[in-house]
């Protein structure tokens, strides 16, 4: 039995000292593990009969690295660096046996060992850059010594792990094996001793390859998109370049840069999002279940854009899917779309033909609703029409056993009302997937008034199965994401157009701020008609006064639907995505503005960004105050994973904290005076600003139960 208080064990197998460390779930190198490893190593090196030491995981993962929570304070000794020094100085060879993942500090531990043997399924990487951190336990110094400076820089800047075979080709591991890693690793130790191969401290190796300016800018260029607006890469380059210096000097530069990165706003924001993504699936009061219901067979009703995408997501997760559409032609179109989607993944080398075929074979098209009967869950994705959806849901309710989840993918309709069209509203909820369903990481789970926690628990299982970030939303106008987009961000962008900014000015300013794509380009991509239809439905819930989206709705009316019709806010050339300004649109906007007595003026980029982002924050605070979202950090997950808000700024609510809520309120009041009612400051921001508090503190207090839930 594993003793959780002793994550590290030491045994002697003849002349091999065997150190096993086991700290589930990811074998994080926390203080206890580091202490255990250091003690075990000391025992091994003191033992006269030991001629080689093997470090291996007791589970199926070498180590996913440091415990991120430890980064918030000073690290307790022994540090990873002290442990690594002890390994490198050991008088006998120390071998790392790598299974599963060796990431971050986990890989850095292995880099300090004298030899590395990996299982063929292992993956190795330094993903620190994704958290805005420079690898700080020798990664930038030892990796270049083992594989050369260029491949090392590429690996650290990409952050993506590499497969064992690739690691072997690069010289990162000495041997790759299949079968039982433990046995192979012990044999490897024995053969080292037999061949009299002694310790081989990585720090004593010299770096091959030269990092000149053009190589660096070429590598940076390859990662420019992922690193847009970021600064950590400069610190990484600096540290990797220092690997040609004597080890102690290089390590000092690495340490300084790693500390700088840890204290940076960018890293704080990225770590905030990382934790927010892990927190979002936690819901208070969920039932303790003895067994988890199986989700093997999924029925999806409506084989349009969304239904087809959702079908692929489940097929990718190994589930069998029945995709139902009453329209034969729609079903045929869906089949073609799914096939061409998989074909393009194969072409790009993302999937093998064999896997693509297997996934496609899991999706079967049907035209009769009765075919849902065997499904473990059903998801409705038919046209956005209340009566139609009610009919479909009620049929699903009568066809499926009463314990099966029934979900609607509605983007605008009341989930509560839809649920009440069935005899079991308790098992109905919204699963709001985003386009493209296969790629978007976000899944809004909409809880109707009658949805039970048992139902919610199944929806959270679904999110986990699909590897998506679930965010639970109340059932209200636009849920979380669309409410903030429509009432906050996009509305302000349109207002700025009416006041004289051009679509390209607004888009470029927000893209420079860090959004993946500006609001008008997003509208043109998704289709202006899609937005108009959503608003028509939403207005049945609550209306908004003019000039709410007068421009987008007029474009829809004129058939300027966006990229698909070659005209929208911009003009497009056949088959191209580049957006060209269109004087006709400028004229149209001027007309709409003058009808409303709005006089155009020059608007600076700073004002564009400030207004769009503050509007987003203000509506976000209202969503929190109304209890539609549970945590400010949930909103950050929605916006970073579903709406292109720059991750390195942490999401709108975290960003508000970094601006300071007193400043945020002051500016919102300023715009309230200038632009009127819709800028009315959210009560929650005013309260937090008055208390000199932050959204992060508000989340923390609620978690601790200090504040009562607003719902
Ligand atoms: P779509 O128009 O592409 O597809 C709807 C499909 O439902 C059509 O193939 C139609 O033949 C089928 N259908 C209609 N009545 C049916 C019935 N009684 N039984 C079976 N199939 C039936 O629509 P899309 O874009 O896929 O949207 C579906 C749902 O997803 C809507 O509620 C929409 O609001 C929502 N949604 C759409 C997003 C988008 O951007 N397209 C994003 C998120 C949600």
């Amino acid at each position: 039995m594993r003793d959780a208080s002793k994550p590290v064990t030491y045994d002697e197998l003849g002349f091999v000292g065997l150190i096993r460390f086991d700290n589930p779930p990811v074998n994080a190198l926390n203080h206890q593990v580091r202490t255990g490893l250091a003690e075990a190593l000391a025992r091994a090196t003191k033992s006269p009969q030991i001629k080689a030491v093997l470090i291996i995981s007791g589970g199926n993962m070498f180590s996913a690295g440091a415990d991120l929570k430890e980064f918030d304070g000073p690290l307790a000794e022994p540090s990873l660096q002290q442990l690594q020094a002890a390994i490198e100085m050991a008088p006998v060879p120390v071998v790392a046996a790598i299974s599963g993942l060796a990431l971050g500090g986990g890989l850095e531990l292995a880099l300090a060992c004298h030899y590395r043997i990996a299982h063929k399924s292992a993956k190795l990487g330094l993903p620190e850059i994704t958290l805005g951190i420079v690898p700080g336990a020798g990664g930038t110094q030892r990796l270049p010594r083992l594989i050369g400076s260029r491949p090392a820089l590429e690996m650290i800047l990409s952050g993506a792990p590499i497969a064992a075979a690739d690691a072997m080709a690069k010289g990162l591991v000495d041997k790759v094996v299949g079968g039982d890693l433990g046995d192979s690793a012990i044999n490897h130790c024995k053969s080292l001793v037999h061949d009299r191969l002694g310790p081989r401290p990585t720090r004593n190796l010299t770096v091959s390859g030269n990092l000149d300016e053009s190589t660096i800018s070429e590598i940076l260029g390859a990662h420019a998109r992922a690193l847009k607006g970021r600064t950590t890469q400069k610190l990484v380059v600096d540290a990797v370049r220092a690997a040609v210096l004597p080890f102690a000097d290089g390590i000092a530069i690495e340490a300084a840069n790693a500390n700088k990165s840890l204290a940076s706003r960018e890293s704080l924001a990225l770590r905030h999002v990382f934790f927010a993504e892990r927190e979002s699936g936690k819901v208070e009061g969920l039932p303790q279940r003895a067994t988890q219901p199986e989700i093997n067979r999924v029925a999806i009703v409506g084989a349009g854009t969304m239904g087809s995408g959702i079908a692929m997501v489940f097929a990718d997760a190994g589930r069998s899917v029945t995709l139902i559409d009453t329209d034969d032609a729609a079903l045929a179109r869906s089949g073609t779309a799914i096939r061409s989607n998989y074909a393009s993944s194969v072409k790009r080398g993302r999937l093998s033909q064999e896997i693509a075929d297997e996934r496609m074979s899991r999706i079967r098209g049907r035209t009769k609703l009765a075919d849902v009967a065997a499904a473990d869950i059903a998801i409705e994705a038919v046209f956005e029409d209340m009566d139609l959806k009610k009919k479909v849901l009620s049929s699903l309710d009568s066809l499926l056993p009463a314990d099966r989840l029934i979900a609607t993918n509605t983007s605008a309709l009341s989930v509560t009302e839809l649920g009440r069209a069935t005899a079991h509203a308790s098992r109905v909820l919204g699963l709001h997937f985003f386009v493209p369903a296969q790629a978007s990481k976000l899944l809004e789970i909409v809880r109707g008034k009658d949805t039970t926690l048992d139902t919610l628990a199944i929806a959270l299982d679904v999110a986990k199965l699909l590897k998506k970030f679930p965010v639970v939303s109340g059932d209200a106008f636009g849920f979380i994401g669309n409410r903030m987009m429509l009432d906050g961000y996009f509305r302000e962008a349109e207002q700025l157009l009416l006041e004289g900014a051009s679509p390209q000015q607004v888009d470029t300013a927000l893209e420079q701020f860090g959004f993946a794509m500006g609001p008008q380009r997003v509208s043109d991509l998704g289709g202006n008609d899609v937005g108009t239809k959503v608003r028509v439905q939403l207005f049945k819930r609550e209306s908004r006064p003019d000039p709410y989206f007068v421009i987008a709705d007029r474009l829809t009316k004129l058939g300027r639907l966006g990229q698909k019709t070659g005209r929208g806010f911009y003009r497009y050339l056949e088959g191209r995505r580049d957006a060209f300004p269109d004087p006709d649109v400028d004229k149209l906007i001027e007309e709409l503005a003058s009808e409303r007595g709005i006089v155009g003026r020059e608007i600076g980029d700073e004002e564009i960004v400030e207004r769009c982002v503050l509007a987003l924050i203000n509506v976000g605070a209202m969503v929190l105050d109304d209890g539609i979202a549970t945590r400010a950090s949930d909103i950050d997950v929605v916006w970073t994973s579903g709406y292109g808000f720059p991750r390195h700024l942490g999401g709108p609510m975290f960003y508000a904290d970094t601006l300071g809520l007193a400043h945020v309120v002051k500016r919102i009041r300023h715009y309230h005076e200038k632009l009127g009612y819709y800028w009315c400051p959210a009560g929650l921001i005013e309260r937090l600003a008055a208390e000199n508090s932050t959204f992060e503190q508000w989340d923390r207090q609620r978690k601790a139960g200090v504040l009562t839930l607003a719902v």
Side-chain angles (χ1 to χ4, degrees):
M1 270 297 275
R2 201 183 76 84
D3 177 355
S5 69
K6 291 203 187 79
V8 182
T9 59
Y10 175 68
D11 294 292
E12 298 192 347
L13 287 179
F15 56 78
V16 178
L18 180 61
I19 302 176
R20 279 185 195 276
F21 65 118
D22 194 8
N23 178 26
V26 296
N27 237 359
L29 297 168
N30 65 10
H31 180 232
Q32 222 180 6
V33 172
R34 295 196 302 272
T35 308
L37 286 171
E39 284 170 4
L41 184 72
R43 271 180 74 185
T45 51
K46 274 191 205 119
S47 175
Q49 73 264 28
I50 292 303
K51 296 192 176 129
V53 177
L54 177 62
I55 300 181
I56 188 166
S57 154
N60 50 18
M61 179 184 294
F62 185 73
S63 170
D67 183 344
L68 277 184
K69 294 239 157 72
E70 275 187 286
F71 286 179
D72 292 338
L75 270 182
E77 296 198 346
S79 64
L80 188 50
Q81 289 82 343
Q82 287 166 330
L83 177 61
Q84 290 168 318
I87 292 172
E88 280 190 323
M89 298 308 150
V92 295
V94 180
V95 178
I98 301 170
S99 55
L101 296 172
L103 300 179
L107 181 58
E108 287 175 306
L109 173 68
L111 292 176
C113 292
H114 303 138
Y115 300 89
R116 281 154 296 279
I117 174 169
H119 190 268
K120 65 178 184 194
S121 63
K123 291 207 159 111
L124 302 84
L126 292 172
E128 283 88 338
I129 187 117
T130 58
L131 296 174
I133 303 171
V134 174
T140 67
Q141 305 303 301
R142 290 192 181 91
L143 192 61
R145 281 174 164 77
L146 285 168
I147 70 172
S149 50
R150 187 191 166 117
L153 184 61
E154 280 169 346
M155 208 170 139
I156 300 173
L157 287 184
S158 97
I162 60 171
D166 191 9
M168 170 107 181
K170 286 189 159 69
L172 178 48
V173 298
D174 307 296
K175 196 169 182 177
V176 174
V177 295
D180 187 275
L181 178 66
D183 291 347
S184 305
I186 287 165
N187 286 336
H188 191 61
C189 290
K190 286 180 182 160
S191 68
L192 287 176
V193 174
H194 179 264
D195 297 342
R196 298 179 185 281
L197 291 170
R200 190 181 59 173
T202 312
R203 68 173 68 196
N204 294 347
L205 304 175
T206 47
V207 176
S208 68
N210 181 23
L211 278 181
D212 55 31
E213 290 303 329
S214 78
T215 310
I216 291 172
S217 49
E218 186 195 323
I219 301 174
L220 284 173
H223 299 287
R225 230 178 106 179
L227 297 172
K228 181 180 147 193
R230 306 260 320 260
T231 57
T232 322
Q233 62 273 30
K234 294 198 186 86
L235 298 173
V236 167
V237 167
D238 234 32
V240 174
R241 283 188 106 166
V244 293
L245 304 175
F247 187 74
D249 297 344
I251 276 287
I253 291 176
E254 179 193 87
N257 286 11
N259 285 337
K260 236 187 259 175
S261 70
L262 274 171
S264 71
R265 216 176 238 209
E266 180 172 313
S267 175
L268 291 174
L270 289 164
R271 281 182 276 156
H272 162 79
V273 176
F274 178 85
F275 285 117
E277 286 167 348
R278 275 140 196 87
E279 185 78 8
S280 75
K282 296 184 188 149
V283 175
E284 220 177 294
L286 276 191
Q288 294 290 333
R289 296 172 299 177
T291 53
Q292 221 162 290
E294 301 263 328
I295 306 170
N296 292 322
R297 286 158 305 180
V298 182
I300 296 162
V301 187
T305 314
M306 293 312 289
S308 309
I310 299 168
M312 291 175 69
V313 178
F314 278 99
D316 294 350
R319 270 48 192 182
S320 55
V321 179
T322 307
L323 182 56
I324 298 168
D325 203 297
T326 40
D327 179 0
D328 278 319
L331 214 48
R333 271 197 307 275
S334 162
T336 310
I338 291 173
R339 259 191 307 281
S340 95
N341 216 302
Y342 278 122
S344 111
S345 296
V346 171
K347 206 164 142 200
R348 285 195 221 154
R350 289 195 190 150
L351 280 185
S352 68
Q353 187 64 49
E354 195 188 349
I355 293 181
D357 288 344
E358 193 191 325
R359 292 183 181 180
M360 262 184 295
S361 73
R362 293 194 191 118
I363 306 174
R364 14 175 239 160
R366 291 287 183 273
T367 49
K368 299 247 170 343
L369 204 57
D371 281 316
V372 302
D376 298 316
I377 65 167
I379 301 172
E380 164 284 304
V382 302
F383 299 131
E384 189 79 332
D385 175 290
M386 182 59 98
D387 290 336
L388 173 67
K389 280 191 190 280
K390 278 184 175 171
K391 242 199 279 165
V392 170
L393 289 173
S394 135
S395 308
L396 287 175
D397 186 46
S398 55
L399 287 163
L400 284 165
D403 60 341
R404 307 290 150 88
L405 171 87
I406 298 179
T408 166
N409 183 46
T410 181
S411 21
L413 303 175
S414 158
V415 171
T416 307
E417 192 178 338
L418 287 171
R420 288 180 184 168
T422 72
H424 305 90
S426 59
R427 59 145 147 187
V428 177
L429 50 60
L431 282 181
H432 189 204
F433 286 84
F434 288 75
V435 221
Q438 312 90 281
S440 173
K441 292 293 279 177
L442 177 63
L443 182 61
E444 259 185 340
I445 299 180
V446 186
R447 205 174 155 182
K449 287 207 166 66
D450 310 303
T451 310
T452 55
L453 284 165
D454 293 285
T455 307
L456 196 56
I458 304 175
L460 290 163
D461 295 340
V462 170
K464 202 169 193 182
L465 178 82
L466 304 180
K467 298 198 173 73
K468 299 208 180 281
F469 303 127
V471 174
V472 178
S473 168
D475 181 22
F477 183 101
F479 312 135
I480 298 173
N482 282 350
R483 162 92 192 274
M484 289 173 65
M485 177 177 85
L486 295 172
D487 280 356
Y489 179 46
F490 275 34
R491 169 197 261 177
E492 202 53 29
E494 274 228 359
Q495 182 67 31
L496 285 155
L497 298 183
L498 292 173
E499 289 176 31
S502 67
Q504 59 275 22
Q505 194 196 353
V506 171
D507 281 345
T508 309
L510 288 157
E511 282 159 17
Q512 264 163 11
F513 170 77
F515 272 100
M517 205 187 258
Q520 269 70 51
R521 273 194 244 272
V522 169
S523 302
D524 272 1
L525 179 66
N528 290 314
D529 54 326
V530 172
T532 299
K533 276 189 206 147
V534 168
R535 286 186 293 274
V536 167
Q537 296 299 337
L538 281 173
F539 274 24
K540 293 183 187 163
R541 276 186 112 142
E542 278 168 41
S543 63
R544 301 284 188 263
D546 189 277
Y548 199 77
F549 291 91
V550 280
I551 306 171
D553 288 345
R554 179 65 66 87
L555 292 174
T556 300
K557 208 164 167 190
L558 294 171
R560 299 190 62 123
L561 309 184
Q563 282 190 24
K564 60 186 170 190
T565 56
R567 277 174 160 54
F569 280 96
Y570 296 94
R571 268 184 314 115
Y572 300 87
L573 297 175
E574 180 91 39
R576 302 274 305 269
R577 283 170 177 253
D578 315 75
F580 296 98
D582 188 337
D584 289 351
V585 174
D586 298 338
K587 224 166 88 211
L588 173 83
I589 296 174
E590 264 175 48
E591 277 167 28
L592 290 167
S594 84
E595 282 166 21
R596 286 160 183 81
I598 302 171
V599 183
R601 63 182 172 94
E602 283 279 320
I603 300 179
D605 291 354
E606 238 171 71
E607 180 179 339
I608 292 172
V609 170
E610 182 177 58
R611 281 174 55 179
C612 288
V613 175
L614 289 184
L616 186 57
I617 292 167
N618 199 29
V619 181
M622 293 175 194
V623 164
L624 274 177
D625 229 358
D626 295 347
I628 303 308
T630 320
R631 310 172 186 95
S633 66
D634 281 3
I635 292 182
D636 290 335
V637 173
V638 168
W639 275 80
T640 50
S641 62
Y643 291 82
F645 191 97
R647 244 180 117 79
H648 68 275
L649 298 180
M653 309 323 274
F654 182 88
Y655 184 65
D657 283 350
T658 61
L659 291 176
L661 295 190
H663 169 77
V664 168
V665 164
K666 196 172 118 208
R667 299 301 295 161
I668 291 176
R669 286 191 186 130
H670 165 77
Y671 288 121
H672 187 203
E673 258 169 45
K674 238 173 103 176
L675 296 158
Y677 84 99
Y678 77 96
W679 268 96
C680 183
L684 179 61
I685 301 197
E686 292 202 305
R687 293 199 299 279
L688 292 176
E691 291 162 13
N692 210 5
S693 185
T694 61
F695 286 112
E696 196 158 27
Q697 279 177 28
W698 187 75
D699 274 358
R700 233 179 293 137
Q701 285 172 341
R702 282 170 61 107
K703 196 171 173 182
V706 176
L707 298 173
T708 50
L709 284 175
V711 211

